[in-house]
Amino acid sequence: MSGQRKYSVFLGNVGSCSDRYCGAYGPEFSTAELLRRVDGIKLVSGVDLVLTPELLEDIDLISQWHRDSGTAVVSVAVDHFARSVWKQGSFSAGDPEIRRLAVADAVRAMDVAAELGCDMITIWPGQDGYDYLFQADYEAERNWFADGVREVCRHRSDVRVSLEYKCKEPRNHCYVSSAASTLLLIQEIGEDNCGAVLDYGHALIGYENPAESVALLQHFGRRLMHVHINDNYRLWDDDMIVGSVHTLEFLEFFYWLRRTGYTGWMTIDQYPYREDGQQAVAESAAWLDTLESLLDRVDPEEIAEVLHRKDAIASSRLMRKILMGG
Amino acid sequence: MSGQRKYSVFLGNVGSCSDRYCGAYGPEFSTAELLRRVDGIKLVSGVDLVLTPELLEDIDLISQWHRDSGTAVVSVAVDHFARSVWKQGSFSAGDPEIRRLAVADAVRAMDVAAELGCDMITIWPGQDGYDYLFQADYEAERNWFADGVREVCRHRSDVRVSLEYKCKEPRNHCYVSSAASTLLLIQEIGEDNCGAVLDYGHALIGYENPAESVALLQHFGRRLMHVHINDNYRLWDDDMIVGSVHTLEFLEFFYWLRRTGYTGWMTIDQYPYREDGQQAVAESAAWLDTLESLLDRVDPEEIAEVLHRKDAIASSRLMRKILMGG
Amino acid sequence: MSGQRKYSVFLGNVGSCSDRYCGAYGPEFSTAELLRRVDGIKLVSGVDLVLTPELLEDIDLISQWHRDSGTAVVSVAVDHFARSVWKQGSFSAGDPEIRRLAVADAVRAMDVAAELGCDMITIWPGQDGYDYLFQADYEAERNWFADGVREVCRHRSDVRVSLEYKCKEPRNHCYVSSAASTLLLIQEIGEDNCGAVLDYGHALIGYENPAESVALLQHFGRRLMHVHINDNYRLWDDDMIVGSVHTLEFLEFFYWLRRTGYTGWMTIDQYPYREDGQQAVAESAAWLDTLESLLDRVDPEEIAEVLHRKDAIASSRLMRKILMGG
Amino acid sequence: MSGQRKYSVFLGNVGSCSDRYCGAYGPEFSTAELLRRVDGIKLVSGVDLVLTPELLEDIDLISQWHRDSGTAVVSVAVDHFARSVWKQGSFSAGDPEIRRLAVADAVRAMDVAAELGCDMITIWPGQDGYDYLFQADYEAERNWFADGVREVCRHRSDVRVSLEYKCKEPRNHCYVSSAASTLLLIQEIGEDNCGAVLDYGHALIGYENPAESVALLQHFGRRLMHVHINDNYRLWDDDMIVGSVHTLEFLEFFYWLRRTGYTGWMTIDQYPYREDGQQAVAESAAWLDTLESLLDRVDPEEIAEVLHRKDAIASSRLMRKILMGG
């Protein structure tokens, strides 16, 4: 256990999951139970919340737990995706009433965050996009989206607004789709407290190399605000235990996080459909901690030197050295 | 309206959908309402049922509707996927009690089908597979699966047992994954009343060309028993309106259905998350009817002649002729 | 034959192809023969050139043909990909000598273009990227790339510099990977004569909807400078006959080209490995011309109205109306 | 260096590569030079040959080298893919002359193999398939294919005929596409000396889990005859250094090879476009040797017990134990 990095978890991750076929793979947990389950995970010292109407009712409970346990509230994610009101978009919806609601909910999340000692909200616009050809006005909807998020950013400057990108699901095509498209949006929004969440699995399904995405997001004004972590087979957002599929990618990812000075949190974000959520999170934390510690085997200067040689043989040898030692 | 082909629809398709984020995109419908909605769709004259515990309670209602409306019950699908009991598999589960339950439920579905004047059950083993490496004994589970389906087939020979393949979802890896793997299983099971369902979207996400899959399934003992139809972007089972993405593929598909003498039903199987289900089904039926009618523009002998030339220029010209006429 | 749009073709497209297994699928053609073959294609009135060392030797011949035939030279593409000197990148290469050569070759292409009455060069940095993890310094190489292209743009303002994006091949990861990442680069380069080439097939393999990419590229300063057109199965750059796989996508694409006022050329860019190249190009032109003419069936105002409804049922009906009429 | 497994390499792998853009990334090597380069790789003690017309001229040289060096000739691959004569298929070609040539070349390869002390030929029918819709008669071509390979198998029973599957490239759709479709073909061919080559990268791009494919191929009559090994990003046959992308998958793969008693060769099959081929092969061998040795950390009985629990938490712990020890 190296304890080099701050790990958080989405509160719901230690509970149960559903998918479009099965409404409940496991038992239900109350908010109080979920909080206790978070407390029981070694290496995890923060929590991310999704501000659903149900969770809002338990905010006092969470606040008390936060003060008692010392566990940080790392970010508050706005629910712009889990209710049918958003089915044709939040900030980009054609209906101006829904766009106003999207802003209002985000603004409230900023205030709730601040009350919980948290300086960041997460916006994942999973419903903002389209499924079919000839279904959307890409020009108008894009403008509405940028206008809405800009208004949110201006609500208060002491809370950061982090945009989470994903190319698809639940929409077949989502507008905030990649590291690059998020940076374009951030530039268009033009507010200092606006940045990006890199979700590791989302990056993979967009054929990004997450390590390169870190470099890109940091290159354009150090806009990497938050990291979600999980694993998948590169083709869909499987949200699996971290390290259960990929190994070397995480090593390169940690290298670039270190090199670009990312000192923020890493939030475990999984869907343990058939597993015990608490144990699945603990597994991820154990993998992450071990994987990052492997990096200490090699001097970062040596790594930088290999990167400059642009020789895959040297890269392969370096990876064997990091992973296997010796 | 050419009326050349018999179209059915999954009863739930005219209702509302959920996904892993949003529990309900639309209103709930009772079974009676769903049946009335099916009645209202031109070109659709059959229905496929999923035998959930809830639906079992409404069997008398369905039976009465079937007799009154004359709408056929095309197949009864066993629920081997929508309850947490199946979360680690049905016929391939490690627990012998669950394997027995999988057989019992399928056997009951055969009897229910027969009572409804229907001669086919559908088995979609979506939970039989695995998510993680080192999570499954591929040898033992495969044998259990074949043994269970064989036992089902032997229950009665007047009801056919059709296996629906899909390479992933809800499991990251499903055992009954492709047309070819289904044929291997059918051969291993060795019963005449066992065949395959080709779901058009499942074929696409497995990088199959559905037309070639028809030829393959028919080549090995005419094992194409049923067809599910929908559309997607080839990467995930988007379950969209038929014809909303692909055009030419459906033409080749119809050609091979005709050529191999498939005269069975075509069941619309979609997830209209954000649409009115009834209208979405009506759109699919309208697309299908129009697309198949285009084939009549060209003599099948001319098509066969083009196929034998193996020249993409000739193929392109043929497709322009079928699609655009002239 | 509607003749609404200006079609060009890459000169090599009417010749023969190789792949990594087979060095020559068809006969060799001289430049003179290729030019005559272009002349023989109805609907095609322009040509795009790749400025390889071999082609440079035939520039006088091409110039004469251009004057005699009246066929336009639409763009001159710099060869930054077909020689081993570029194997670790052109503008982003670690070796400063190679970076200088990349700039010099592009500058020369601008001058050659101007002499041929052509106002655009195409830069496709297919070798700029990486294959392996831990193989590249994403920060340094990105900066070198932007610096080099900026220098090229400043060489002369009467020739435009269009950057062609593609997420992979020949590198496993290319830097200029998407419409969004190209826009970020263009902004960083900061020159008015710098824009983007949208290659239809490249957009598809990056899970872009090409119609949305048009809207995006035009939104940020009207940066769509050129269009390459071909078709594929969405997973690899198959470079097939246009219209042989997709149908409806091209309709939406034409709609957005019209709506955003793109009046530039559309260059057919295929790899007819096993076909006669001239005939394959003629097929693509015939498909394109017919497909765009279908759009005239529906008033653009009606299309805009459907886009604003954000209702897939309406979208499906609209597509049936455009494709099938009535 | 554990030396547990027999490694071979395709002779061309230690040379230079081309792709469809660049005709030569590295220098040319004579057959004699290639053989010397094979000799220089630790851990590699066999070679696989592709029987091109050029190689046939050097057969005496190879035979002499084989006797002198003691390096095994592991298999002789028939060239059914590298000449334009095969552009529309080998065994499945519409032209009966080409089908006869395909058989004749395979028969000759069997005889050449036997003379080199080798008991296996490899058939990779990469050109047997189709690119376009409406381009092929799936029924007739499939029959021709099976008939041709059956005839080859019957030529002599002391040489095995191993079929290598791949879902695409160079054709957009290849007939021998998956482990399951290969087994169907083998059953249809009905000869004892017919089996399958599992190419690790081909399995990955077909969304197979290679470990499960081993179990499948062995389940149906122990038909796994040969293994090709390389690595990729799951979406294309990148043919990279083994272990440079995946880690845990190789561990599960080795487990199933051991469990099903595969004692044959493992042939490194890469395309080191920008690397020194000899070094790239040496890297792969080093990775493979180290990865397999990790398996010795855990008792196979313990692994079997975990597989039977079907619990991803246990699987994750097991993988951490194998990879990280302790």
Side-chain angles (χ1 to χ4, degrees), chain B residues 32 70 179 199 211 231 240 257 311:
Chain B
D199 181 291
D231 212 341
M240 297 166 77
L257 287 178
D311 171 8

Side-chain angles (χ1 to χ4, degrees), chain A residues 88-89 92-94 127-130 132-144 167-168 171-175 178-185 187-188 206-209 211-213 215-216 218-220 234 248-249 251-253 255-256 259 295 303-304 306-312 314-316 318-319 322, chain C residues 88-89 92-94 127-130 132-144 167-168 171-175 178-185 187-188 206-209 211-213 215-216 218-220 234 248-249 251-253 255-256 259 295 303-304 306-312 314-316 318-319 322:
Chain A
Q88 293 295 2
S92 72
Q127 303 281 4
D128 293 83
Y130 54 97
Y132 287 86
L133 303 171
F134 286 102
Q135 193 188 14
D137 185 325
Y138 310 123
E139 178 68 18
E141 296 190 11
R142 180 179 181 85
N143 286 335
W144 289 328
C167 60
K168 59 185 163 186
R171 299 315 289 252
N172 292 147
H173 286 278
C174 298
Y175 289 131
S178 64
S181 74
T182 309
L183 282 166
L184 282 176
L185 255 172
Q187 293 183 357
E188 200 167 8
Y207 199 65
E208 294 184 10
N209 177 358
E212 186 192 357
S213 303
L216 191 76
Q218 298 290 55
H219 175 75
F220 285 94
R234 291 177 182 271
L248 300 168
E249 277 85 351
L251 300 176
E252 198 197 17
F253 185 65
Y255 168 77
W256 280 92
R259 174 164 156 172
L295 259 194
I303 296 176
V306 168
L307 301 190
H308 275 264
R309 288 169 60 186
K310 201 84 185 257
D311 172 7
S315 305
S316 175
L318 173 65
M319 291 190 279
I322 298 174
Chain C
Q88 293 295 1
S92 71
Q127 302 281 4
D128 292 83
Y130 54 98
Y132 287 84
L133 303 170
F134 286 102
Q135 193 188 13
D137 184 324
Y138 310 123
E139 179 68 18
E141 296 191 11
R142 179 179 182 85
N143 287 335
W144 290 327
C167 60
K168 58 183 164 188
R171 299 314 290 252
N172 293 146
H173 286 278
C174 298
Y175 289 131
S178 65
S181 74
T182 309
L183 283 166
L184 282 176
L185 255 172
Q187 294 183 356
E188 200 167 9
Y207 199 67
E208 294 184 10
N209 176 359
E212 186 192 357
S213 303
L216 191 76
Q218 298 288 55
H219 175 75
F220 284 94
R234 291 176 183 272
L248 300 167
E249 277 85 352
L251 300 176
E252 199 198 18
F253 185 65
Y255 168 76
W256 280 92
R259 174 164 156 173
L295 258 194
I303 296 176
V306 168
L307 301 191
H308 275 264
R309 287 170 60 187
K310 199 86 185 256
D311 171 7
S315 305
S316 176
L318 173 65
M319 290 190 279
I322 298 174

Side-chain angles (χ1 to χ4, degrees), chain D residues 51 56 76-80 86 91 99-115 121-123 147-156 158-161:
Chain D
L51 205 60
L56 257 178
V76 174
V78 196
D79 167 15
H80 283 137
W86 311 121
F91 296 109
R99 297 204 297 270
R100 271 191 285 274
L101 185 60
V103 171
D105 280 11
V107 158
R108 186 184 50 192
M110 291 176 97
D111 296 339
V112 168
E115 284 165 32
I121 65 165
T122 296
I123 288 175
D147 291 345
V149 177
R150 188 182 303 109
E151 190 179 338
V152 171
C153 290
R154 290 179 177 170
H155 171 62
R156 54 192 295 169
D158 61 340
V159 176
R160 294 176 295 163
V161 175

Side-chain angles (χ1 to χ4, degrees), chain B residues 246-315:
Chain B
H246 291 95
T247 306
L248 300 167
E249 277 84 352
F250 287 108
L251 300 176
E252 199 199 16
F253 185 65
F254 277 122
Y255 168 76
W256 280 92
L257 287 178
R258 290 179 171 193
R259 174 164 157 172
T260 63
Y262 178 78
T263 56
W265 291 81
M266 187 170 282
T267 294
I268 294 165
D269 184 5
Q270 306 176 152
Y271 264 71
Y273 297 102
R274 297 169 184 81
E275 290 76 43
D276 176 82
Q278 190 191 38
Q279 292 181 46
V281 171
E283 273 303 301
S284 287
W287 273 108
L288 285 163
D289 190 58
T290 305
L291 287 167
E292 179 153 14
S293 71
L294 296 179
L295 258 194
D296 299 327
R297 286 177 169 167
V298 180
D299 189 305
E301 290 302 311
E302 181 180 337
I303 296 176
E305 190 272 331
V306 168
L307 301 190
H308 275 263
R309 288 169 61 187
K310 200 85 185 258
D311 171 8
I313 304 299
S315 305

